[in-house]
Amino acid sequence: QVQLVESGGGLVQAGGSLSLSCEASGRTISPYMMGWFRQVPGKEREFVASIGRGGTATFYADSVKGRVTISRDNVKNTVSLQMNSLKFEDTAVYYCAVNLGPPSLRGRDYQYWGQGTQVTVSS
């Protein structure tokens, strides 16, 4: 079992930047694809970005591509999400997740989730 804890969320002005961090414990996450998802009240979680086990293969939702960078440190057992040029529409709770199976951008294929960190972008 893997425990995930997100941090780094907060209030930021539109056009600003924010860096999120996900710390894993209980088991190394180095063999697995990791992902970031986000959710607003009343809606299903939405894919944001994912990264392969080696850290070279990355995937981004069209809504954030060019503004977001996902990275990982398998020694520290962490995954980060650097967000730039933030928009009001980026406001959501951001979740870190582990995919134990084949590469996927589908939330259903991620088995372990953190509690989330709130990101609020002011207009």
Side-chain angles (χ1 to χ4, degrees):
Q1 188 172 7
V2 182
Q3 293 79 45
L4 304 172
V5 179
E6 302 94 339
S7 62
L11 176 64
V12 64
Q13 63 194 31
S17 299
L18 203 61
S19 182
L20 307 182
S21 181
C22 172
E23 298 184 358
S25 62
R27 186 173 300 174
T28 178
I29 59 172
S30 59
Y32 309 118
M33 169 173 272
M34 302 293 297
W36 283 96
F37 295 76
R38 64 188 183 187
Q39 186 174 31
V40 298
K43 297 183 63 178
E44 192 170 297
R45 290 179 185 178
E46 174 190 20
F47 169 77
V48 177
S50 66
I51 186 167
R53 56 187 285 178
T56 56
T58 57
F59 307 88
Y60 299 96
D62 290 339
S63 59
V64 302
K65 191 172 184 178
R67 303 186 295 116
V68 167
T69 301
I70 187 172
S71 61
R72 69 190 301 160
D73 188 332
N74 286 337
V75 176
K76 296 181 179 180
N77 223 30
T78 60
V79 181
S80 298
L81 188 72
Q82 177 66 47
M83 301 188 292
N84 303 317
S85 301
L86 284 165
K87 305 174 180 179
F88 175 77
E89 301 84 74
D90 295 319
T91 297
V93 177
Y94 284 72
Y95 297 89
C96 177
V98 182
N99 175 14
L100 301 180
S104 174
L105 310 184
R106 185 164 165 256
R108 182 181 176 87
D109 295 326
Y110 290 72
Q111 291 75 33
Y112 297 99
W113 298 79
Q115 294 298 307
T117 184
Q118 176 72 49
V119 172
T120 303
V121 183
S122 61
S123 59

